[in-house]
Amino acid sequence: MRLTVFWQRMADHFGEGYADSFARDHVMSELGGRTVQQALDAGWEAKDVWRAVCTAVNVPYEKR
């Protein structure tokens, strides 16, 4: 998954304004105690981060 697709999915689910805030501030156990941004900065694949977000916040299956 390209980062542009990842960020579009984040914006679609959380809204333009909240997606960035969620990515910077929400620490997720699914990402080993990292935020979305920290996981991406650490080299995690965008698709794996998106899957973790989907699991953590119950993104509907059709949006995954």
Side-chain angles (χ1 to χ4, degrees):
M1 171 186 292
R2 300 176 79 197
L3 278 175
T4 54
V5 173
F6 171 81
W7 287 113
Q8 184 58 53
R9 289 184 182 184
M10 288 285 289
D12 288 347
H13 183 72
F14 293 106
E16 290 286 333
Y18 186 61
D20 184 61
S21 177
F22 181 90
R24 286 183 288 111
D25 300 332
H26 188 80
V27 175
M28 299 174 50
S29 60
E30 295 83 357
L31 297 174
R34 295 177 179 87
T35 66
V36 166
Q37 192 62 59
Q38 289 170 333
L40 291 170
D41 290 345
W44 284 51
E45 294 290 328
K47 67 180 178 181
D48 296 329
V49 176
W50 178 244
R51 287 179 185 147
V53 170
C54 290
T55 299
V57 300
N58 296 317
V59 173
Y61 182 76
E62 60 275 2
K63 290 188 173 187
R64 292 181 181 210

